[in-house]
Amino acid sequence: MIHLVIADDQPLVRSGIRMILEGEPDISVVGEAADGDEAVALVLTHEPDVLLLDVQMPGIDGITAMQRIAVRNVATRVLMLTTFDLDEYVYRTMRAGAAGFLLKDMPGEDIVSAVRQVARGADALLAPAVTRRLIERFAAAPPHPPAAGLAQLTARELDVLRLVGRGMSNAEIARELFIGETTVKTHVARVLMKLGLRDRVHAAIAAHQAGLT
């Protein structure tokens, strides 16, 4: 069972997301918060698997709340929620250690999928529209593919990098290549290490710049 806290200053948003998630047999909402301070208190009390946290809230904002949670060494993974897909928010939330960045107007099934992926320990997760825009922005820059690093990748690692560049999750890559999801996770980790990349978003950018997609 995935235990989850929802933090958003709009009651209708909280109730709507709660209805979506509580309809799933493997997800339990253990608390709701209307501001950042309340979100921190709920996480420290319940230590949920996932926190859905609005970026902009009264009192301390979502990013500050996430930083306060992080220093307490709580294992809760944070999915940031916002109505704005501005790059400023994306960069700040990912730098602060968020496990993902989702838009509130995403389909309900995508939010459910994101919660499950993050609870399973998936790498940094971005809303598809945000991922596409970031990739397009970086891909438009002068190409600088890590050629030396690419030469170190095995054929299977190149296959995985190519699919990461297409925005596929570990589970989707596993189905595409007929291998286990744990094996995919291992390949992704090796790709990141060999190319000197921080996360799968940067790996997707590298795949585009290298012409793999």
Side-chain angles (χ1 to χ4, degrees):
M1 180 68 69
I2 299 169
H3 296 97
L4 179 137
V5 166
I6 303 169
D8 193 291
D9 62 326
Q10 300 177 51
L12 286 176
V13 171
R14 291 199 310 272
S15 61
I17 293 176
R18 182 168 195 145
M19 287 178 62
I20 291 170
L21 295 174
E22 286 200 324
E24 302 299 320
D26 58 336
I27 297 176
S28 174
V29 179
V30 297
E32 294 183 20
D35 58 51
D37 289 304
E38 192 176 357
V40 173
L42 281 173
V43 167
L44 296 182
T45 298
H46 297 286
E47 297 192 8
D49 302 298
V50 179
L51 168 64
L52 284 179
L53 181 62
D54 189 12
V55 173
Q56 294 184 315
M57 288 188 296
I60 63 171
D61 63 17
I63 296 175
T64 303
M66 181 173 59
Q67 292 169 335
R68 292 188 182 180
I69 291 168
V71 299
R72 301 295 292 270
N73 294 319
V74 178
T76 300
R77 305 200 77 199
V78 181
L79 272 172
M80 302 301 291
L81 282 170
T82 185
T83 53
F84 309 100
D85 61 344
L86 300 177
D87 290 342
E88 172 194 356
Y89 289 133
V90 178
Y91 295 135
R92 288 180 65 202
T93 56
M94 301 313 281
R95 279 200 302 268
F101 184 96
L102 305 178
L103 304 181
K104 292 180 185 178
D105 61 357
M106 288 176 63
E109 60 267 26
D110 289 347
I111 295 178
V112 171
S113 174
V115 167
R116 287 178 176 145
Q117 287 185 56
V118 166
R120 289 198 305 265
D123 295 320
L125 178 74
L126 295 178
V130 178
T131 303
R132 284 194 300 270
R133 195 185 65 256
L134 288 178
I135 289 174
E136 288 167 359
R137 174 176 173 178
F138 282 93
H144 49 85
L150 288 177
Q152 300 177 50
L153 301 184
T154 66
R156 179 60 84 191
E157 288 166 353
L158 280 171
D159 288 337
V160 169
L161 177 59
R162 184 178 298 108
L163 297 178
V164 168
R166 288 168 52 187
M168 297 176 71
S169 67
N170 287 350
E172 291 169 332
I173 293 173
R175 288 194 295 270
E176 179 77 13
L177 299 179
F178 301 101
I179 57 178
E181 192 170 344
T182 301
T183 303
V184 173
K185 194 170 184 178
T186 299
H187 285 316
V188 171
R190 288 175 177 167
V191 167
L192 296 180
M193 179 188 67
K194 289 181 179 181
L195 300 186
L197 301 171
R198 192 180 69 179
D199 52 43
R200 69 188 302 123
V201 174
H202 289 85
I205 293 167
H208 277 256
Q209 291 182 330
L212 295 179
T213 57

